[in-house]
Amino acid sequence: EGLQEKSKWQSKQTRWKRFWGDQVEEYITLIKNPRNFFKSVAKEDITTTLKKVVPVFIVLIAIYSLLNYFAYKETYSEIPFLSLLNNPLSYFLISVIFFPLVILISASLLHLSLKILKTKSVFKQNVKISIYPMVPVYVITIIQSIINLLAKNLSFQILSFIIGIGAWISGVILTVVGISEIYKIKTKRAVCAYFLQGILFSWRLSF
């Protein structure tokens, strides 16, 4: 019985190691060759996508929550309405709750953008386009948080600012490539679809 338990534990460890190894390889492909990546996931079932991405995001959110807490705990404690964030667990739970909302809103706005541009739109594909680029962007944001935690002078703050811009630019590029590849449209049209999301979101907030 003891040997069986040990064998089960080792089997679970092997599966998790294989899972994380596969994830690292996938996201390296996403960064190095986004067109090939989105081509490979175009026919992927949305359930498979979520099973792959959600565990990665939970780990990233947990890391970011801790870093964010140590970097901004004094700020959070001084501002009343941000006091709830002055706890890594609270920040983690809030982020986990908002994560699916952000994905759904992003996918919905992309759907509207593509419809306005008279381009084919499939909501499940929009979820993939929205969710996959967020992983490398989140990793870059974590690096930015580490810089903020170590920031003792202006040079660190400038570096953090540059990394933040880099995270945004990489997110834009990966999303645009995803739109272009999955829907087989020109890059210019994909760029229009991406920025139209922002216009629609701003317009909706104005009401």
Side-chain angles (χ1 to χ4, degrees):
E1 190 175 329
L3 288 173
Q4 285 182 343
E5 288 296 322
K6 187 177 179 180
S7 178
K8 286 180 182 178
W9 173 248
Q10 288 176 339
S11 178
K12 286 181 181 179
Q13 279 188 314
T14 302
R15 284 201 302 270
W16 276 107
K17 283 179 181 178
R18 190 182 299 118
F19 171 81
W20 288 106
D22 290 343
Q23 295 312 299
V24 170
E25 285 183 15
E26 275 210 335
Y27 290 112
I28 288 173
T29 302
L30 173 59
I31 294 165
K32 290 174 69 176
N33 198 331
R35 285 204 174 273
N36 278 356
F37 174 85
F38 280 108
K39 187 177 181 180
S40 69
V41 300
K43 294 182 180 179
E44 182 179 82
D45 184 73
I46 192 63
T47 306
T48 303
T49 300
L50 295 175
K51 282 181 180 179
K52 286 160 56 180
V53 178
V54 170
V56 175
F57 254 106
I58 289 173
V59 171
L60 291 176
I61 290 171
I63 294 169
Y64 184 74
S65 299
L66 283 172
L67 291 170
N68 197 66
Y69 167 72
F70 287 115
Y72 300 108
K73 61 180 179 179
E74 292 180 4
T75 304
Y76 292 152
S77 61
E78 290 172 1
I79 303 173
F81 68 89
L82 290 179
S83 58
L84 184 63
L85 299 178
N86 194 26
N87 181 313
L89 181 58
S90 299
Y91 194 96
F92 172 78
L93 292 174
I94 291 169
S95 299
V96 167
I97 291 167
F98 273 95
F99 166 65
L101 292 176
V102 170
I103 296 301
L104 289 173
I105 291 169
S106 179
S108 299
L109 289 172
L110 179 57
H111 180 76
L112 286 174
S113 299
L114 291 167
K115 288 296 182 184
I116 289 170
L117 295 171
K118 296 181 179 179
T119 301
K120 179 185 176 183
S121 176
V122 180
F123 189 78
K124 291 178 181 179
Q125 298 288 45
N126 295 343
V127 171
K128 295 176 194 176
I129 293 167
S130 300
I131 202 170
Y132 274 120
M134 287 182 69
V135 173
V137 169
Y138 223 99
V139 171
I140 297 172
T141 306
I142 286 173
I143 294 170
Q144 184 186 24
S145 296
I146 294 171
I147 298 295
N148 288 335
L149 192 59
L150 299 173
K152 303 295 180 183
N153 52 47
L154 184 60
S155 60
F156 271 104
Q157 293 172 4
I158 293 170
L159 179 60
S160 173
F161 177 73
I162 292 169
I163 290 171
I165 292 174
W168 179 78
I169 291 172
S170 64
V172 172
I173 292 170
L174 293 175
T175 305
V176 166
V177 172
I179 297 168
S180 175
E181 182 58 39
I182 283 183
Y183 290 115
K184 303 300 180 187
I185 59 176
K186 291 181 179 180
T187 302
K188 288 181 181 178
R189 200 173 185 84
V191 169
C192 289
Y194 178 87
F195 285 105
L196 188 54
Q197 290 180 95
I199 295 169
L200 289 171
F201 184 69
S202 302
W203 175 77
R204 192 69 187 91
L205 286 179
S206 65
F207 284 88

